[in-house]
Amino acid sequence: MMDSGILVLNRHPTRETGGDFFYMRGGEWGLRLNWGRWNSLRNQIFVGFVLVMLVVLFIAGIAAYDRVSGLLKTNAEKHIHQTAVQANGRLDALIAQVNSLTAQVADDSYVQRLLSNEKGGEPATFNQRQALLQVVSSYPSFMSGVQSLEIYTTTYSRIFPMDDRSLDGRLGRNWIAEADAEKGRLVWVGPDPEDPGVIMAIRRISLMDRDFEPGGYVVVRMQRSFFQLNDLDAEDGVEDSILLVDAAGSVVTSNLEAGLDVEALLSSDSSVVQTRDEPYIVVRQHSEMTGWTLAVLTPVSETTEGVSILRTALLISGLFGVVLFLIMSFLLSTMITRPITRLMRAMRSARPGAMKPNIMFSSTMEIHRLNEVYNQMVYRLNELTQEIYEKEIMQSRTELKALQSQINPHFLFNTLEAFYWSLDDKGDEEMARMVVAMSRLFRYIISSPNQDEWVTMADELEHAERYLQIMEMRLGERLQWEIRLSDAMRTVRIPKLLIQPLVENAILHGIESKIEPGKVSILVDASAQEDLVHIEVRDDGPGMDDSRLQSVVRALNGGPAVSDKGTGVGLINVHRRLKLYFGSQLGELCRLTITSKVGEGTVIRFEIPKDTEGAYDSWQNDSNR
């Protein structure tokens, strides 16, 4: 076939989709695929199951990976923190040993006596200073790592070892001032300026026999290896790096490579730092005794070593789950759709008037019920086909009778016209007016299918007026009536015969039920509510008590009828027609309202929209159908 310069050749046509096809445009061939044949229920179920499985596996994998990696990291941080606590405890123990050693030297009785004599103006002799060697050397023998002990007087002159070096030349005066301020507590100076491999500390000696006056200073020199703490993690095999920095920022001991930015490492607030081209988890501990900072660093790769194994395990298990689910989804989708396919074939082969039930047994409850519903539909359609055939025959006969009966209204109108001319010729004007009123009344009521069901408010009230004229001829002076219609309401459209039944009800149950003359009033005016028309029919008849009024209201709402007296077109009919025409537009406002008092009469009211175009158009659409 040709379409806008495109030559199309079908290939593999199918009943459901039409198949794929080749096309040629501008001398070039192409293949256009028809994807409709792949949009089957089985494929939808299969793809839906697979997508759900992939989403579930993806979310579960991410959750498991995040959970386990978080646990591994938390455990690693706990281990590092424990290592830092142990290292800090070990450091405090070493500091306590040095503090105890210097305190023993400072409190030694010979040292106290010698420095007290120096304070009193008696310099120590060579033999006295020589005797300090035996005293001082006896204390470090119990603790390894002590390089030497030095004793100075308050004038900063050294009495041990025996040379002429002064304390202020050995250390800065700021350290001496800090030792005086600590009043006998050990002050850690840091690396020895003359030997970087040695750590120094100073303590002021207080003379106990002179009310703890300053008597001198003791300086202890410790080897850096004394503070080595790397053997704490030897048992668990984790490669932790321990860094010990003094208060001045100088490295006391470390097993890290040289060139490390210690200041940046200690000033960072993050628990993960980048050093030696590798991220490290760092835990810091501050010593109150020395002012030093202990930092334990562990490579991040050590803490996440199990995450890579977990990742591999999750990928393998995920792939295995996807393959297994693909197979199960395919089998399940086939199991679900196979009975439906058989049912579709049975439905496709069905023909009107010759539909046969589908004989199929399925263990699946839903498929079995679906087949039963289809078979019931087949039986019902066969019955309906027979009924429709019979109804068509009856309709043909009814249409023939309807054509014959169309002459009846014309015969009635012609007969009334003949009565009118006959009475007019005889001069009986009153009877002639009644015949004319009756003829117009019948013409208004009897509508052919092509005549409009909606009229203007003026036409509806004109019809009510003709009815009142006929009733006035019958009741005479007993009937008085009044119609009030504002000019603004004359063109409002209203369904035919909504007001006349209310007038008939007022005469039947109001005027005819009293002996003296009665009056019927019809009022049409704008409602108190915007865009509504208020319609009221009032009579001054005997009225109703509360019991009967409630019975009438119940009858309007679907209850039993109160009385069979009437013409057959009553309040219930008007109430239902109001609901039918204006129920969707007015809601609860669409109803007849009846008020009545014994001896005063009855008033029936209802309201319709001033703009009835919506209800009128809806009625016209229903009529066209």
Side-chain angles (χ1 to χ4, degrees):
M1 58 184 173
M2 292 288 294
D3 184 13
S4 302
I6 301 176
L7 176 62
V8 179
L9 299 178
N10 288 334
R11 183 176 72 91
H12 304 307
T14 61
R15 183 177 299 176
E16 293 82 3
T17 65
D20 306 335
F21 57 86
F22 290 101
Y23 67 93
M24 183 179 69
R25 176 184 294 170
E28 296 182 357
W29 288 92
L31 174 63
R32 181 173 298 173
L33 298 178
N34 191 342
W35 296 104
R37 63 178 181 176
W38 299 101
N39 191 21
S40 62
L41 179 60
R42 185 180 69 176
N43 292 341
Q44 290 178 1
I45 295 175
F46 177 72
V47 173
F49 283 173
V50 171
L51 289 179
V52 171
M53 181 61 182
L54 290 177
V55 171
V56 170
L57 286 178
F58 181 75
I59 295 176
I62 291 179
Y65 179 81
D66 181 71
R67 181 71 175 176
V68 175
S69 60
L71 290 175
L72 291 175
K73 184 177 180 182
T74 302
N75 292 336
E77 290 178 352
K78 288 182 179 179
H79 164 76
I80 298 170
H81 185 75
Q82 184 179 3
T83 301
V85 171
Q86 293 178 358
N88 193 55
R90 173 77 176 276
L91 177 63
D92 290 343
L94 296 177
I95 298 302
Q97 292 180 14
V98 177
N99 185 49
S100 176
L101 171 65
T102 56
Q104 291 178 5
V105 173
D107 295 339
D108 186 82
S109 59
Y110 185 77
V111 174
Q112 287 276 329
R113 185 170 63 254
L114 189 63
L115 292 177
S116 179
N117 294 336
E118 286 281 342
K119 189 73 173 178
E122 300 179 7
T125 62
F126 178 81
N127 292 332
Q128 289 176 335
R129 295 172 63 186
Q130 185 73 21
L132 284 174
L133 178 61
Q134 182 178 1
V135 175
V136 173
S137 60
S138 62
Y139 291 104
S141 61
F142 298 101
M143 185 173 59
S144 61
V146 178
Q147 184 75 18
S148 65
L149 286 171
E150 300 175 1
I151 300 177
Y152 296 87
T153 65
T154 54
T155 59
Y156 307 153
S157 60
R158 186 161 69 181
I159 62 176
F160 183 84
M162 292 179 294
D163 53 21
D164 296 332
R165 297 196 64 176
S166 62
L167 179 61
D168 55 350
R170 187 79 172 86
L171 298 174
R173 285 187 175 271
N174 58 324
W175 292 110
I176 299 175
E178 185 172 351
D180 291 336
E182 290 296 328
K183 297 181 181 181
R185 286 191 291 269
L186 189 64
V187 176
W188 289 92
V189 178
D192 190 347
E194 299 178 358
D195 187 0
V198 176
I199 304 298
M200 299 179 61
I202 183 173
R203 177 193 289 270
R204 193 187 76 177
I205 301 176
S206 300
L207 300 178
M208 291 182 289
D209 58 350
R210 290 181 176 268
D211 297 328
F212 296 96
E213 291 183 6
Y217 304 91
V218 57
V219 177
V220 59
R221 301 174 68 247
M222 308 294 298
Q223 297 177 357
R224 284 181 180 269
S225 59
F226 179 73
F227 300 99
Q228 197 71 28
L229 305 173
N230 291 42
D231 58 340
L232 292 174
D233 55 350
E235 295 182 359
D236 53 21
V238 179
E239 297 181 1
D240 294 332
S241 299
I242 299 179
L243 175 66
L244 185 61
V245 182
D246 62 10
S250 301
V251 178
V252 177
T253 179
S254 172
N255 60 349
L256 297 172
E257 294 181 358
L260 182 66
D261 189 356
V262 177
E263 183 178 357
L265 178 65
L266 297 180
S267 61
S268 176
D269 295 332
S270 176
S271 60
V272 178
V273 295
Q274 186 76 22
T275 179
R276 295 191 304 179
D277 299 329
E278 185 179 1
Y280 278 76
I281 299 177
V282 59
V283 176
R284 305 169 186 87
Q285 293 284 339
H286 183 74
S287 177
E288 297 294 338
M289 298 177 61
T290 60
W292 294 355
T293 300
L294 176 69
V296 179
L297 294 88
T298 302
V300 175
S301 58
E302 292 287 337
T303 63
T304 59
E305 182 178 358
V307 176
S308 59
I309 301 175
L310 173 65
R311 187 186 303 114
T312 303
L314 288 176
L315 288 176
I316 293 175
S317 60
L319 290 176
F320 177 77
V322 168
V323 172
L324 181 61
F325 200 78
L326 284 174
I327 298 173
M328 296 301 296
S329 298
F330 182 79
L331 295 177
L332 182 60
S333 61
T334 303
M335 185 187 310
I336 293 175
T337 57
R338 181 177 296 172
I340 299 178
T341 304
R342 293 179 56 187
L343 185 58
M344 288 174 57
R345 292 173 182 171
M347 295 173 67
R348 190 179 299 117
S349 61
R351 294 292 180 270
M355 300 182 66
K356 298 180 180 180
N358 182 39
I359 307 302
M360 181 182 66
F361 299 96
S362 176
S363 58
T364 305
M365 180 185 68
E366 289 79 5
I367 301 300
H368 182 69
R369 293 293 299 274
L370 180 62
N371 187 68
E372 287 184 349
V373 171
Y374 170 72
N375 290 336
Q376 293 175 3
M377 181 189 68
V378 168
Y379 297 139
R380 181 58 179 164
L381 286 177
N382 290 333
E383 293 176 359
L384 291 176
T385 302
Q386 183 65 26
E387 291 179 4
I388 291 173
Y389 174 73
E390 295 176 356
K391 286 181 179 180
E392 286 180 351
I393 296 177
M394 294 178 62
Q395 184 177 0
S396 299
R397 297 176 179 174
T398 303
E399 289 178 355
L400 180 59
K401 292 182 179 180
L403 292 175
Q404 297 173 354
S405 63
Q406 287 181 357
I407 196 174
N408 293 336
H410 297 284
F411 173 76
L412 175 62
F413 298 148
N414 293 333
T415 302
L416 291 176
E417 289 291 335
F419 285 165
Y420 167 74
W421 291 113
S422 176
L423 294 173
D424 186 65
D425 291 340
K426 294 179 180 181
D428 195 347
E429 296 181 358
E430 183 178 358
M431 290 299 298
R433 288 197 304 271
M434 179 178 292
V435 171
V436 170
M438 291 180 61
S439 176
R440 293 177 180 177
L441 186 70
F442 290 151
R443 287 183 183 274
Y444 186 86
I445 295 174
I446 301 175
S447 300
S448 65
N450 297 325
Q451 288 180 329
D452 200 349
E453 185 70 18
W454 289 67
V455 295
T456 64
M457 187 67 70
D459 292 338
E460 178 70 6
L461 291 182
E462 185 179 356
H463 170 69
E465 183 178 1
R466 285 194 293 267
Y467 177 77
L468 287 169
Q469 290 175 352
I470 295 174
M471 292 294 104
E472 185 180 14
M473 293 177 186
R474 184 173 69 89
L475 297 176
E477 295 181 355
R478 291 179 56 195
L479 174 62
Q480 300 175 5
W481 50 272
E482 177 189 15
I483 297 177
R484 286 186 292 171
L485 172 64
S486 62
D487 293 338
M489 302 293 110
R490 295 184 64 85
T491 58
V492 175
R493 299 186 70 86
I494 184 173
K496 186 186 295 184
L497 297 176
L498 275 186
I499 300 179
Q500 185 267 335
L502 304 182
V503 176
E504 181 180 354
N505 181 80
I507 295 175
L508 184 65
H509 297 284
I511 305 304
E512 290 186 355
S513 298
K514 59 185 300 185
I515 300 175
E516 63 272 10
K519 184 178 181 180
V520 175
S521 301
I522 305 174
L523 172 64
V524 178
D525 203 351
S527 174
Q529 188 170 350
E530 188 177 359
D531 296 332
L532 292 182
V533 178
H534 178 79
I535 301 171
E536 178 179 302
V537 177
R538 180 189 299 269
D539 69 79
D540 57 358
M544 295 181 289
D545 56 14
D546 292 340
S547 169
R548 184 171 179 80
L549 180 61
Q550 294 300 322
S551 300
V552 173
V553 173
R554 284 195 297 270
L556 293 179
N557 295 326
V562 179
S563 172
D564 57 354
K565 179 181 179 182
T567 64
V569 181
L571 300 182
I572 297 176
N573 181 279
V574 175
H575 183 75
R576 289 177 180 175
R577 294 179 65 205
L578 282 174
K579 292 289 185 180
L580 177 64
Y581 286 110
F582 306 110
S584 59
Q585 191 172 357
L586 296 181
E588 294 297 327
L589 295 177
C590 181
R591 65 181 185 275
L592 285 180
T593 302
I594 304 176
T595 58
S596 181
K597 290 185 179 180
V598 177
E600 295 184 8
T602 302
V603 181
I604 302 178
R605 305 179 181 91
F606 68 92
E607 293 180 342
I608 64 171
K610 185 180 297 182
D611 182 9
T612 59
E613 293 297 329
Y616 177 69
D617 293 341
S618 177
W619 172 83
Q620 279 193 325
N621 294 333
D622 293 340
S623 299
N624 293 333
R625 294 193 188 103

